[in-house]
Amino acid sequence: MANPIRVVAGLGNPGCGYAATRHNAGFWFADRLASKLGASFNHEAKFGGEVARAGNLRIVKPMTFMNLSGRAVAGVARFFDIDADAILVAHDELDLPPGDAKLKFGGGTAGHNGLRDIQAQLGTASFWRLRLGIGHPRDTQAPEREVVDFVLKPPGTDDASAIEAAIDRALDAWPEIAAGDMERAMTLLHTRPPAPEKDKP
């Protein structure tokens, strides 16, 4: 068993213009988790983000744009004396298809600027990540599309539904995640339901 989770940080960019973009998948998870737990976000200027409280859990949405996400995450961790291994960062993941959600502890940043800044601000990579697949332009009908352009655009209807389904599974696994039962949580997360059979002609 890992330590219970005391901070969930959902990554994204603030502002209406970014709200529906793939890069904001972490915000989508944070919003839905707060709703599930009956918590409300309040702006906390000292952390540079919005923070919701549910018991001993803090749900954080950095409002400093993706590249500076670490200020809010590390600020909350220091203020409440929370170890890095009790932090879960929910973020968009290019290397997973829409509909996939995976838990990971530590490791690299795979070029994700939000993760990079959090790692730098915490001084360690030893925190949990909830990787929400958004797909990669190389796997689309426009493989030459720039990654930056891809992540800063909304997903299509099918991809959006798949991402929401992955968030649903993550929320279903939340009791296990919160308690630090990551092995059980991974089993729940990594098992995608079978695609519905299409009607035969």
Side-chain angles (χ1 to χ4, degrees), residues 48-124:
E50 294 184 356
V51 182
R53 180 179 178 182
N56 289 329
L57 177 73
R58 265 78 182 184
I59 306 170
V60 184
K61 294 196 300 182
M63 292 287 122
T64 48
F65 287 93
M66 187 67 79
N67 292 2
L68 299 175
S69 297
R71 174 188 168 192
V73 180
V76 168
R78 284 193 294 266
F79 188 84
F80 295 106
D81 193 24
I82 295 170
D83 292 334
D85 63 358
I87 297 172
L88 174 72
V89 178
H91 65 91
D92 57 305
E93 177 58 69
L94 282 162
D95 292 330
L96 294 177
D100 272 14
K102 295 185 182 295
L103 281 168
K104 178 183 178 183
F105 184 74
T109 64
H112 194 292
N113 290 329
L115 291 177
R116 181 183 292 118
D117 193 57
I118 291 169
Q119 184 170 316
Q121 292 288 336
L122 289 175
T124 179

Side-chain angles (χ1 to χ4, degrees), residues 29 101 130 132 165-175 177 188-189:
F29 175 76
L130 173 61
L132 299 168
I167 291 174
D168 286 342
R169 293 202 314 282
L171 293 172
D172 288 343
W174 172 249
I177 295 171
L188 295 171
L189 266 180

